Amino acid sequence: MPKDQANEEITYLESLLSKSNLPQDLRMTIERMINRVKRVTQLSGFSQEYEHVRKFVEWVTQIPWGVYTKDNLDLENAKKVLDEGHYGLDSVKERILEYLSVMRLKQLKGEEIPRAPIFLFVGLQGIGKTTMAKSIAKALNRQFTRISVGALGSVTELRGVPKTEPDAEPGQIIKALINTKQMNPVILLDELDKASGAEGKRADIMAALLEILDPEQNYAFRDHYIDYPVDLSKVLFICTANTLGTISTALLDRLEVIRFYSYTDEEKIVIGRNYILPKVLKRAGLDPSQIEFSQDVWQIIVRPLGYDAGVRQLERNIESILRKAAKLIVTGKSQKIVITPENVRNFIQESGVI
């Protein structure tokens, strides 16, 4: 590497450092790393260490040190956001509003707002666990990000790979802070019960999660790549699971379990008509005036093949109907579609739903 180019690269690293808000002792450590590379490049014009230092500096300076958003603890706003995103689930919403009330009281008294509990949403697929977590983030005015625990192959994906390894990089927790650009996002740890099927790996992942989620430890979480204490105490962690059987007892002891129960057919009809249909209409490019659903057809759309706890299949059914309707309108065969119990099978038969 020519000396001029090497000097440009060193200047680049120094500019990253100067623009960041790193803790002072970490800043001094990185300054020493950059100075060491600078001395070597001045002598030989090249340092094998440069690439490792550059990669480390780029990662560390992207962490939003000291950046926090102010929570919106307005209960009326929170209730509005939760109701807009979900029909029913009243017991779940009530529990969440209770916790927000405690935080609001502390805020009004000028006292330190207590750490939010770590929620574990438990229930079958498709009943709103993930969307409820998103709604909580929206209500609080925090950024949201999701980590799929079920997709983790090893604990290093959570805790990072040390700098000495060839594929060194931070773990998913640090990346979540970088992606949200704040130190107090809502992080969803999805499918906690589906952590690696191998007993040893699952035990390692559960142990790492214990440190990440435990309020007595997570104020100084140490990612193996960053190798510096990172404060996770202001992060709102929400976990989801279908069952509790594979989650360690020690971890469960630190979680606030909130159960999501299956929707009734009556609730699904309201959800389909008032929540899913407007959203899918927009995706399909149709105006509400171009399609009409008779009241008695919803029972068939909701339960075409028997009982289903969630609403994902319901959304697929509505999508199938609207695609068929869009084709009829575009080809000029009809200007307005009316879906009735008599013709509904013609609209979703091709998808194999009925």
Side-chain angles (χ1 to χ4, degrees):
M1 180 187 297
K3 281 194 175 183
D4 288 346
Q5 185 180 348
N7 290 333
E8 287 178 7
E9 298 291 348
I10 296 296
T11 302
Y12 165 68
L13 296 183
E14 290 174 335
S15 68
L16 287 180
L17 187 60
S18 66
K19 295 174 185 176
S20 66
N21 189 34
L22 271 65
Q24 188 58 33
D25 50 347
L26 180 58
R27 178 183 295 275
M28 292 174 62
T29 299
I30 293 177
E31 284 176 349
R32 288 194 293 270
M33 294 170 67
I34 294 174
N35 288 334
R36 185 168 60 248
V37 172
K38 184 189 295 186
R39 286 195 300 271
V40 174
T41 53
Q42 286 174 346
L43 293 173
S44 64
F46 174 76
S47 171
Q48 292 181 335
E49 191 181 1
Y50 171 76
E51 287 299 326
H52 300 293
V53 173
R54 179 186 60 80
K55 183 179 178 181
F56 181 71
V57 173
E58 286 177 341
W59 276 117
V60 171
T61 54
Q62 285 184 81
I63 297 174
W65 305 96
V67 178
Y68 297 90
T69 54
K70 185 177 180 181
D71 285 340
N72 181 356
L73 298 177
D74 183 333
L75 287 192
E76 288 187 8
N77 172 70
K79 187 176 187 308
K80 179 183 175 184
V81 171
L82 295 178
D83 287 341
E84 283 176 352
H86 304 81
Y87 177 76
L89 301 174
D90 292 335
S91 62
V92 175
K93 294 176 186 175
E94 187 63 24
R95 289 278 292 279
I96 293 167
L97 291 173
E98 288 169 359
Y99 287 116
L100 293 182
S101 299
V102 172
M103 295 169 72
R104 177 62 174 161
L105 279 176
K106 290 285 189 179
Q107 185 185 63
L108 291 173
K109 291 180 178 179
E111 299 176 6
E112 183 180 357
I113 296 176
R115 293 173 180 171
I118 301 161
F119 297 125
L120 172 58
F121 294 163
V122 181
L124 298 174
Q125 299 94 328
I127 57 176
K129 300 187 296 295
T130 299
T131 53
M132 182 63 76
K134 290 180 179 178
S135 293
I136 292 172
K138 182 179 179 182
L140 288 172
N141 191 36
R142 295 193 188 191
Q143 293 296 312
F144 173 87
T145 190
R146 171 182 171 272
I147 297 173
S148 177
V149 178
L152 297 178
S154 69
V155 71
T156 58
E157 294 183 51
L158 268 181
R159 302 209 53 167
V161 180
K163 293 191 292 293
T164 54
E165 301 295 327
D167 54 348
E169 65 175 2
Q172 292 292 331
I173 299 297
I174 296 297
K175 288 179 180 178
L177 300 178
I178 292 172
N179 292 337
T180 58
K181 296 181 172 59
Q182 63 184 76
M183 297 297 284
N184 63 335
V186 174
I187 297 181
L188 178 69
L189 298 172
D190 205 11
E191 299 181 322
L192 207 63
D193 55 322
K194 293 184 176 63
S196 178
E199 187 63 35
K201 288 184 179 179
R202 183 166 64 243
D204 289 343
I205 291 174
M206 290 295 163
L209 288 171
L210 190 60
E211 179 185 349
I212 292 165
L213 299 177
D214 188 350
E216 301 301 321
Q217 302 181 62
N218 67 8
Y219 67 91
F221 170 70
R222 192 175 285 269
D223 179 273
H224 287 166
Y225 179 76
I226 304 299
D227 195 25
Y228 184 86
V230 177
D231 185 4
L232 301 180
S233 63
K234 300 295 190 296
V235 175
L236 176 55
F237 288 102
I238 299 176
C239 308
T240 71
N242 299 136
T243 64
L244 301 178
T246 58
I247 303 174
S248 72
T249 305
L251 185 57
L252 271 178
D253 188 50
R254 288 160 174 81
L255 305 177
E256 187 76 26
V257 177
I258 298 180
R259 294 190 178 274
F260 281 57
Y261 295 100
S262 305
Y263 292 111
T264 64
D265 284 358
E266 289 72 23
E267 287 175 326
K268 284 187 182 181
I269 289 172
V270 175
I271 292 168
R273 188 174 56 225
N274 299 343
Y275 290 78
I276 297 176
L277 179 58
K279 179 174 65 176
V280 179
L281 273 171
K282 188 175 182 180
R283 288 207 300 259
L286 290 170
D287 292 327
S289 60
Q290 293 176 301
I291 189 165
E292 180 183 332
F293 291 78
S294 68
Q295 289 296 325
D296 49 353
V297 77
W298 282 102
Q299 190 67 40
I300 301 174
I301 297 171
V302 161
R303 194 187 277 249
L305 291 173
Y307 180 70
D308 174 36
V311 294
R312 287 179 186 159
Q313 185 59 53
L314 172 59
E315 184 166 349
R316 285 192 285 266
N317 295 349
I318 295 172
E319 286 176 339
S320 176
I321 292 170
L322 296 192
R323 283 196 303 269
K324 184 78 170 180
K327 181 183 176 186
L328 291 175
I329 291 170
V330 169
T331 56
K333 293 181 180 179
S334 180
Q335 293 303 309
K336 181 176 180 177
I337 312 296
V338 179
I339 308 298
T340 66
E342 290 73 32
N343 68 6
V344 66
R345 297 178 186 278
N346 298 329
F347 285 85
I348 45 184
Q349 185 177 17
E350 288 184 6
S351 68
V353 175
I354 293 182

